Amino acid sequence: MSFRQFAFGLTFAFLLPWTALVIYPFFSMRSVAPVAFDEIADGKTGIYHPKTTGRVANGAQVYAANGCYLCHTQLIRPTYAGNDLGRPDWAGLKADEARGDTRRESNVFDYQAEKFAQIGVNRLGPDLSNIGRRVEALYTKESGASPETWLYLHLYNPRGNPERPTSTCPSYRFLFEEKKITGQCPTEALPVEAPEGTCVVPSAEAEALVDYLLAMKRDDALPASMNPAPAKPAEPAPAAAAAAAPQG
Ligand code: HEC
């Protein structure tokens, strides 16, 4: 092999994956055209607007700065790349009270409010694409704690939750402050033990992070053209089915 061939081969071996994995996705996803609902397939018309609520941008920075993405993904994989829809309540809720099965794959619009799509490096902990949903609909149901408090307590001391005594999620206690208080603790104080005369309160960073986590509800209904694995419509209830059956 001549040096020329070697140099050419090396350049090609770098250029091809770089173009395919960096340049092409960058330009194809930089500005995504809006997707419209289809009257026949979706039963409604108009443009799909992904819903985002709360302070997302600041919280995304705290999430990145603390390396949450090292252990948590935010990517419900497409079925051809390993099905995530079967994992209970990661991709949405399996049995949402109002909407039934809301599970779906991730798409480019899910990350639009953020500078970077933090799809994650490893999956040591559960996927967080729909953590806001899970906390609100499942984790706080019995305890009666507010979703914010559930997340603050998890960040403060993951193993403090009696249901998760062996959690390996790190404690982010440095995102909280021990505030000197005379009299009663403020409403945002955590129900945890604190030294005499102090209360544990979330810092501005913890508040932004929890807002961000609660905003993660990436299971809104998509246009059928974007959703290759739509949830099956719920079975009609037996009473409704009986009423619909021909009489006589
Ligand atoms: C060293 C890896 C690691 C890092 C870093 C990490 N986590 Fe975790 N996390 C886990 C593991 C493992 C679990 C599962 C155990 C549990 O439920 O506590 C978990 C669970 C969670 C849960 C509960 C999810 C659920 O549905 O039950 C939340 C919320 C969470 N982590 C948030 C965070 C946030 C926010 C950060 C960054 C500030 C973070 N984690 C950083 C490993 C990690």
Side-chain angles (χ1 to χ4, degrees):
M1 196 199 296
S2 71
F3 179 73
R4 245 179 97 118
Q5 272 175 328
F6 172 73
F8 182 77
L10 199 66
T11 313
F12 186 72
F14 174 71
L15 219 61
L16 188 70
W18 186 62
T19 312
L21 297 175
V22 179
I23 299 300
Y24 174 73
F26 175 75
F27 282 103
S28 68
M29 288 186 209
R30 193 166 57 150
S31 55
V32 195
V35 182
F37 283 104
D38 180 274
E39 179 130 38
I40 299 169
D42 302 309
K44 59 174 169 179
T45 52
I47 303 287
Y48 166 65
H49 291 288
K51 291 190 196 90
T52 28
T53 47
R55 277 182 299 180
V56 169
N58 299 347
Q61 273 174 18
V62 182
Y63 185 92
N66 287 288
C68 310
Y69 63 89
L70 290 170
C71 295
H72 289 285
T73 51
Q74 291 182 28
L75 181 72
I76 302 302
R77 290 178 296 199
T79 308
Y80 66 79
N83 193 351
D84 277 341
L85 298 183
R87 299 184 189 243
D89 305 311
W90 277 20
L93 293 180
K94 195 175 175 187
D96 185 86
E97 271 173 19
R99 293 162 55 212
D101 190 347
T102 68
R103 292 174 296 175
R104 68 159 173 81
E105 295 165 1
S106 299
N107 66 66
V108 282
F109 295 104
D110 287 341
Y111 313 95
Q112 66 161 12
E114 299 171 46
K115 199 165 176 202
F116 297 99
Q118 304 191 61
I119 58 173
V121 175
N122 274 301
R123 213 178 232 180
L124 296 185
D127 187 280
L128 297 182
S129 298
N130 284 291
I131 184 64
R133 269 284 174 257
R134 287 204 296 280
V135 172
E136 282 179 10
L138 306 174
Y139 301 162
T140 51
K141 209 151 199 189
E142 263 130 51
S143 65
S146 74
E148 286 86 1
T149 307
W150 192 95
L151 282 167
Y152 285 139
L153 287 173
H154 176 83
L155 292 172
Y156 185 77
N157 179 13
R159 279 177 291 249
N161 184 338
E163 279 167 31
R164 305 181 181 211
T166 58
S167 173
T168 46
C169 196
S171 158
Y172 289 89
R173 206 165 279 208
F174 54 85
L175 295 177
F176 297 83
E177 291 153 14
E178 276 175 10
K179 214 171 167 181
K180 279 212 173 65
I181 296 284
T182 37
Q184 256 188 345
C185 284
T187 42
E188 72 270 21
L190 301 194
V192 293
E193 269 182 42
E196 191 62 33
T198 63
C199 300
V200 176
V201 291
S203 64
E205 282 185 320
E207 283 177 3
L209 179 59
V210 163
D211 273 357
Y212 174 68
L213 295 172
L214 283 177
M216 277 204 234
K217 293 173 185 160
R218 294 168 178 167
D219 66 345
D220 51 351
L222 295 180
S225 59
M226 264 168 71
N227 193 358
K232 290 190 193 72
E235 297 269 322
Q247 304 285 308

